[in-house]
Structures are given as C-alpha cells and as structure tokens.
Amino acid sequence: MRWRDWRARRRGGATRLTVGQWGGLAVFALLAVLVAVGVGPPRGDGPRVPVARVSQASTVFAALTVVPARPPHDSAYDRGAFGTAWTDASAAPGAGNGCDTRNDILARDLAVSGRVSIDSCPRAVSSGVLTSPYTGRSVVFERGRSSAAVQIDHVVPLAYAWDMGAKDWPRERRTAFANDPANLVAVDGGSNQAKSDAEPAVWMPPLDGFRCQYAVQFVTVLGEYGLPVDEPSRTVLGAAFELC
C-alpha cells in the first residue's frame, strides 16, 4: 500500500482513521507479534536425521520395555527431586564447565548475537534468534523480561520419567538426567507450555518434519537411562520413525 493512498479524516483537529486503515494497522501489529514470539502455524521441514542414528535408535526402540499405559501421575512428584534447576554441578555430559545448563543449551541451539557475564555463566547468551524445532518459526531472544519467549524443553519430561521409574533412582542420577544435553532442546515458549509433561501419545511436535528427530531423541534417552515406554506412546513413536 502506498503512503499517498492513506487518507485521514479530521474532525475538530483530530485525525480519524478509516476502517480500512484500522484494519491494516491491526494486521501489521499481529504480524509483529507473531514474529516476536514465534507463534503461528508450523512451517518448513525438520532436520534430516543421519541414517546411522536412525538405525541405532530403531535398535534401541525395539529393545525398550513396554508397559500398557503411563501410571497415574504420582502426586509426590517434585521438580526439586531432580536437583537444582539447570545446575552446572552434575554428572551430565558437559557439566562443570562454569556455565549453567540453560545457557549451555541456548548457546548450542541459538544463532547467538550477544553475550553477557552473569553469576551462573561468564559468557551467557544475551541475544540471538532461535528457529524453534517444534514449529519451524523464528523466535527472537533477548535476555530480560521477554526471555521466556525461548524455553528449554526436556524431550522426555521429568514428570514422565518420574512416573516411569525415576522416582526410584538416586538423586544424583535424576540430577544428571535433568541436565543431560541429549534430553534438552531450546524451543518456543508456547510449544513448551502446550507440551507440559505429556508423553508422545498425548503430544508430538506440531511440525511434522521434526517428529523423526523427536522420536529418535526420546527413544535414545529412554534407552540410555533404562526407562520403559507406555504402549500408546510406542505406537506414536513408531509412526514417527516411519517419517525418517
């Protein structure tokens, strides 16, 4: 639309916009919000997972213990049972490097454009852009009040792991699980909230093209930590492997 096509009506010296102008402004504002927070319909393709990795995960998948259903959620579950959130002091791969786990994953998954020193990390991410794997949309990250636009998701949710047997683990093993990079991915906040602690039978990434990668990660983590899978989720994961 050309600027000279915008017409305003004046009454008593005040500028009034036409219905069409208000509509145009509303659309512009909506698009700005969508770009900022990364919501909207999924788009694009997910990453191509190497054949060798799919093959390895398929072998693990076939060997998983299967239970008929996820047990009723244990009301005794507490996030604190998996250690201090994002602690750098764990037995997880990459731990003990001087940066908290959240900043390690942000640095791994974002196109980083700025760094800042904070108490938990001397080179914490201060700004960058994430292409959310769950939707394919770009999300702008700025440290501060809007930083929740990017969140770190546990591919195998902690509450699911707890219900499936992690409640019987030593605390140190649970802490390692909660901070294992293999089980973590930076995503848009909306997807993380929508997923919550759901298993694959209940929730899968909206972006079909990422479902192979998600299934591979989910199954690999289950196998690494000796966790079973519920039968409904096994069916969904099997379908996701067919997309690889």
Side-chain angles (χ1 to χ4, degrees), residues 11 15 24 68 77-78 85 105 128 151 154 161 163 166 180 190 198 200 216 240 244:
R11 177 179 292 176
T15 299
Y77 165 75
D78 179 6
I105 301 305
Q151 299 179 13
H154 289 93
D163 292 342
D180 191 332
V216 166
C244 294

Side-chain angles (χ1 to χ4, degrees), residues 90-115:
S90 77
N97 65 354
C99 278
D100 61 277
T101 307
R102 173 176 165 79
N103 276 288
D104 284 341
I105 301 305
L106 290 175
R108 183 194 71 184
D109 292 354
L110 272 64
V112 178
S113 57
R115 301 270 188 172

Side-chain angles (χ1 to χ4, degrees), residues 35-206:
V35 170
V37 302
V39 299
R43 65 184 187 188
D45 297 322
R48 289 192 62 84
V49 184
V51 173
R53 190 176 180 201
V54 174
S55 178
Q56 292 170 355
S58 296
T59 299
V60 173
F61 183 50
L64 289 177
T65 298
V66 182
V67 298
R70 177 178 180 174
H73 183 53
D74 185 354
S75 60
Y77 165 75
D78 179 6
R79 171 62 177 84
F82 286 83
T84 302
W86 310 131
T87 180
D88 187 40
S90 77
N97 65 354
C99 278
D100 61 277
T101 307
R102 173 176 165 79
N103 276 288
D104 284 341
I105 301 305
L106 290 175
R108 183 194 71 184
D109 292 354
L110 272 64
V112 178
S113 57
R115 301 270 188 172
V116 66
S117 178
I118 61 175
D119 290 344
S120 61
C121 183
R123 285 182 49 78
V125 176
S126 62
S127 61
V129 176
L130 168 74
T131 299
S132 177
Y134 289 173
T135 66
R137 297 191 65 88
S138 295
V139 185
V140 176
F141 173 81
E142 293 286 346
R143 182 170 295 277
R145 295 177 62 184
S146 63
S147 61
V150 174
Q151 299 179 13
I152 309 302
D153 180 45
H154 289 93
V155 176
V156 177
L158 301 185
Y160 179 81
W162 177 271
D163 292 342
M164 302 298 279
K167 63 183 177 182
D168 298 323
W169 294 349
R171 183 181 177 87
E172 293 76 12
R173 184 171 177 80
R174 289 196 295 264
T175 301
F177 179 86
N179 292 278
D180 191 332
N183 192 35
L184 298 172
V185 62
V187 302
D188 63 287
S191 292
N192 192 40
Q193 297 303 312
K195 174 186 174 181
S196 186
D197 65 353
E199 64 270 30
V202 177
W203 188 94
M204 286 289 283

